[in-house]
Amino acid sequence: MIANFGVGVDHLDLKLISSFGVKVTNTPFAVSNATADLGIALMLASSRRLVEGCQIAVSPDTEQFAADWLGEDVTGATLGIIGMGRIGYKVAKRAKAFDMRILYHNRNRRKEEEEQAVGACYCEKMEDLLQKSDFVMLVVNLTPQTHKLIGKRELELMKPTATLINICRGPVIDQDALVEALQNKVIKAAALDVTYPEPLPRDHPLLKLKNIIITPHIGTATKHARKKFWYDSPGLGSHQVYKPSGLAPVLKASQQRTRKEDSIRTRVLNIVLYKAITDMMSTCEVSQELYDLKLEISKVSLLSDFSVCRVYWNPTTVGDSKHVESILQKSALRIRYLLLARQVLGNVPPIVFVKDKAAVAMREIDELLAVADFGSEKENLSQNDFSESETSVTTSSSDTSASSLQSNLFGVDHEVLNKQIMEYKKMKKVKHVEGIGWAEQQQKQLAVVQKQMRMKKKKTKGSFQNDLTPQEYLLNKHKTDYLDDETVSFSENESEDELWDGVQHTCAKPDGLP
Ligand SMILES: O=CC(=O)O
């Protein structure tokens, strides 16, 4: 698998790669904010001549600031966005805050409510957008269709006062045509985060122009975006960016193999994470309050698409569960950070603490069995009291309603249970005598029970019961994987909604093309 760092995969020969059966993935959700921010930064820097201004301010030759040194307003100006995909849309959101008039051109028109949310008007023809915009921002993928999308003709359509901003890929602009347009003031200025090649040869004519700002392809170069690359990079079972249909049968076979391998790998990773997390919690390194809880972790379970890591905690060993949940919620981020920082795994999905209901039910069952074996505390107390007070014994042993209540304690009828156990033991003896015959009978019984369970499962599907009684637990035990548990004590409050999406759709369609 080739896990591409960032959204664009234009630098990869996808056909060739896939002919080797190798998957390619990208991280489309990780880059959007940082790249949109840079687009706005370039627009502001260019309109307000920020780089030039900075040079004037720091130059040893500067003696005074000229009053007629002016820039252009962004507020109220028209921004034309070419490519209204994920990044383009984020640019529009930001531009709205500057009270800009927003035009966009895209392969597919956005929904009306999406347009309204950012106040963007669709231009079906790119030419219209070019003619009307004060700033033209390019936010498309590089494909054969977008190669040299902006050439001499398009530049000539732009206003002579307009600025061209490119935050996608250099070859989307015909660079020779741009040099000429800037030299001849066909357009006012350009602000480019991308060129071709990168970096430009030191004697390139673009570098000699005054009406240009060039940055070294830093759209995604923020700490947070780079961290998101790690989080978004392929999870187990992620999809391919490129899947040529001719290879479908080969891919299907390899996918089946991959699924099996994935499940083995997931199990191994669960063990690795369980060990690392329990080690962490046995010291104060996450936090003193987490350490003080002395919480027991029953298991760690990565979802097969690697979108979340569930950590099951045993609530029977701790007190107030709200307090515990709030500590766990706070600790989830730190634990994940530590796992990443220590490179326990290259990538760790968001951690979600889940109350282990099975553990609660197991404890109830233990208590129940203890009562069945040794009698209730009340009974014991009464028996102990015997030597001291005859009346208490009389009351306890003669109170039939109390004893029938006891026999139904925790919803389990102990008499019936006992009978079943005896029958089972009897059958076991018969098995030794009848051999094969017994197994057939058992199989029939098993088939009936399985059928009943399947029918019950259908009925109860999707509604995991919160008040699980031991009896229900015993019935559900074999049919309900407690991955379905909905008691989550951590919701992704890492402001990583996008990351969450990103992990799930790591290889969703790339940003919009015009
Ligand atoms: O250029 C950046 C990216 O492709 O993510």
Side-chain angles (χ1 to χ4, degrees):
M1 179 187 288
I2 296 175
N4 178 70
F5 201 72
V7 61
V9 287
D10 48 280
H11 54 295
L12 299 172
D13 186 337
L14 297 176
K15 269 198 182 134
L16 179 73
I17 292 168
S18 88
S19 73
F20 291 112
V22 172
K23 290 181 184 180
V24 174
T25 64
N26 64 347
T27 60
F29 296 88
V31 301
S32 330
N33 284 326
T35 310
D37 288 349
L38 189 83
I40 298 291
L42 286 174
M43 179 170 67
L44 289 169
S46 168
S47 63
R48 302 301 299 270
R49 301 166 63 187
L50 218 65
V51 178
E52 239 183 284
C54 177
Q55 279 159 0
I56 293 170
V58 301
S59 165
D61 303 328
T62 300
E63 285 170 4
Q64 58 176 37
F65 294 158
D68 60 351
W69 188 93
L70 302 172
E72 299 292 340
D73 277 315
V74 158
T75 303
T78 301
L79 169 65
I81 302 171
I82 299 180
M84 193 66 139
R86 224 170 280 116
I87 301 173
Y89 195 74
K90 293 208 174 222
V91 169
K93 267 188 179 172
R94 286 152 175 74
K96 185 173 187 268
F98 286 92
D99 292 331
M100 297 188 85
R101 182 174 169 233
I102 302 164
L103 306 176
Y104 79 97
H105 173 72
N106 197 44
R107 225 177 2 178
N108 303 308
R109 185 170 180 173
R110 285 241 174 201
K111 288 190 198 124
E112 208 177 315
E113 57 267 31
E114 288 173 337
E115 289 180 353
Q116 277 168 5
V118 292
C121 299
Y122 183 57
C123 292
E124 198 176 341
K125 289 193 184 130
M126 188 175 76
E127 289 72 15
D128 289 344
L129 178 146
L130 292 171
Q131 283 168 335
K132 292 177 186 159
S133 302
D134 299 308
F135 299 91
V136 173
M137 197 173 304
L138 304 175
V139 203
V140 295
N141 290 310
L142 177 61
T143 65
Q145 293 76 39
T146 60
H147 186 254
K148 295 200 179 171
L149 182 71
I150 304 294
K152 189 171 177 345
R153 188 183 80 89
E154 288 72 26
L155 288 162
E156 282 171 357
L157 284 173
M158 287 173 68
K159 294 182 185 179
T161 51
T163 297
L164 180 65
I165 301 156
N166 189 3
I167 54 170
C168 56
R169 286 292 183 267
V172 170
I173 299 177
D174 177 343
Q175 224 159 248
D176 295 338
L178 179 65
V179 171
E180 221 179 287
L182 288 171
Q183 282 169 344
N184 300 331
K185 307 277 188 306
V186 173
I187 62 169
K188 183 165 187 266
L192 314 174
D193 184 43
V194 285
T195 57
Y196 65 91
E198 284 172 359
L200 286 169
R202 296 299 87 189
D203 59 350
H204 195 280
L206 276 180
L207 301 182
K208 299 190 169 58
L209 295 169
K210 283 229 175 318
N211 49 349
I212 194 166
I213 293 175
I214 305 181
T215 50
H217 200 146
I218 52 170
T220 63
T222 69
K223 287 179 188 159
H224 190 63
R226 289 288 155 89
K227 233 192 250 174
K228 279 177 137 195
F229 280 166
W230 283 103
Y231 299 159
D232 272 17
S233 52
L236 299 168
S238 62
H239 310 285
Q240 287 157 277
V241 164
Y242 189 70
K243 197 196 299 185
S245 55
L247 288 175
V250 183
L251 288 169
K252 204 171 165 206
S254 85
Q255 270 164 8
Q256 275 165 0
R257 218 179 25 246
T258 313
R259 264 201 295 278
K260 194 170 168 209
E261 284 163 11
D262 278 357
S263 97
I264 295 169
R265 239 177 295 161
T266 310
R267 264 183 280 156
V268 173
L269 295 181
N270 285 338
I271 295 168
V272 171
L273 286 169
Y274 175 84
K275 168 98 180 62
I277 294 171
T278 45
D279 280 356
M280 252 176 225
M281 288 170 64
S282 66
T283 69
C284 306
E285 60 189 326
V286 178
S287 73
Q288 181 68 44
E289 51 183 358
L290 181 67
Y291 171 72
D292 289 342
L293 287 179
K294 301 267 186 274
L295 197 68
E296 190 186 295
I297 298 300
S298 17
K299 71 167 188 171
V300 170
S301 173
L302 281 163
L303 287 201
S304 59
D305 64 359
F306 210 65
S307 58
V308 71
C309 170
R310 296 188 184 210
V311 179
Y312 287 82
W313 58 280
N314 185 348
T316 64
T317 57
V318 281
D320 172 19
S321 99
K322 276 223 172 69
H323 171 65
V324 176
E325 280 173 16
S326 95
I327 294 177
L328 290 176
Q329 189 167 330
K330 276 189 267 166
S331 310
L333 281 172
R334 170 106 182 119
I335 292 175
R336 186 184 184 204
Y337 168 78
L338 289 172
L339 291 169
L340 284 166
R342 288 174 194 173
Q343 301 199 337
V344 172
L345 299 183
N347 183 14
V348 180
I351 288 173
V352 173
F353 279 97
V354 179
K355 197 188 277 185
D356 192 348
K357 285 183 179 167
V360 180
M362 284 307 284
R363 196 174 85 154
E364 269 191 70
I365 288 163
D366 279 347
E367 283 169 4
L368 194 58
L369 290 175
V371 170
D373 284 345
F374 307 111
S376 71
E377 269 179 29
K378 197 176 151 203
E379 272 175 4
N380 287 338
L381 204 67
S382 310
Q383 279 161 15
N384 291 343
D385 283 347
F386 177 65
S387 56
E388 290 161 24
S389 154
E390 234 182 273
T391 17
S392 65
V393 175
T394 322
T395 322
S396 136
S397 58
S398 64
D399 188 349
T400 48
S401 72
S403 77
S404 79
L405 198 77
Q406 297 287 356
S407 110
N408 218 330
L409 200 74
F410 291 105
V412 172
D413 188 328
H414 292 274
E415 272 166 38
V416 173
L417 186 65
N418 205 24
K419 231 162 129 191
Q420 281 173 354
I421 292 169
M422 296 315 286
E423 272 167 18
Y424 174 75
K425 281 185 180 167
K426 242 194 261 165
M427 276 167 76
K428 222 174 162 189
K429 266 189 205 154
V430 176
K431 184 193 165 198
H432 285 302
V433 181
E434 292 178 2
I436 302 278
W438 180 87
E440 276 170 6
Q441 190 193 357
Q442 278 295 94
Q443 269 167 12
K444 272 186 206 153
Q445 280 184 353
L446 190 66
V448 173
V449 172
Q450 280 173 340
K451 198 173 163 194
Q452 283 169 352
M453 281 166 81
R454 268 199 303 276
M455 279 166 67
K456 187 147 188 217
K457 187 177 181 182
K458 259 189 205 164
K459 268 195 223 156
T460 56
K461 203 173 175 191
S463 61
F464 194 94
Q465 289 138 10
N466 270 327
D467 300 320
L468 197 67
T469 65
Q471 213 169 21
E472 283 160 349
Y473 171 70
L474 283 170
L475 281 171
N476 286 337
K477 195 169 183 297
H478 301 289
K479 62 189 176 77
T480 310
D481 178 357
Y482 56 95
L483 267 184
D484 292 341
D485 194 324
E486 282 163 359
T487 315
V488 170
S489 55
F490 167 73
S491 59
E492 327 81 75
N493 64 346
E494 292 179 74
S495 73
E496 279 183 0
D497 297 352
E498 281 179 10
L499 161 66
W500 193 266
D501 282 351
V503 176
Q504 284 176 334
H505 310 114
T506 295
C507 302
K509 85 173 167 58
D511 250 337
L513 289 166

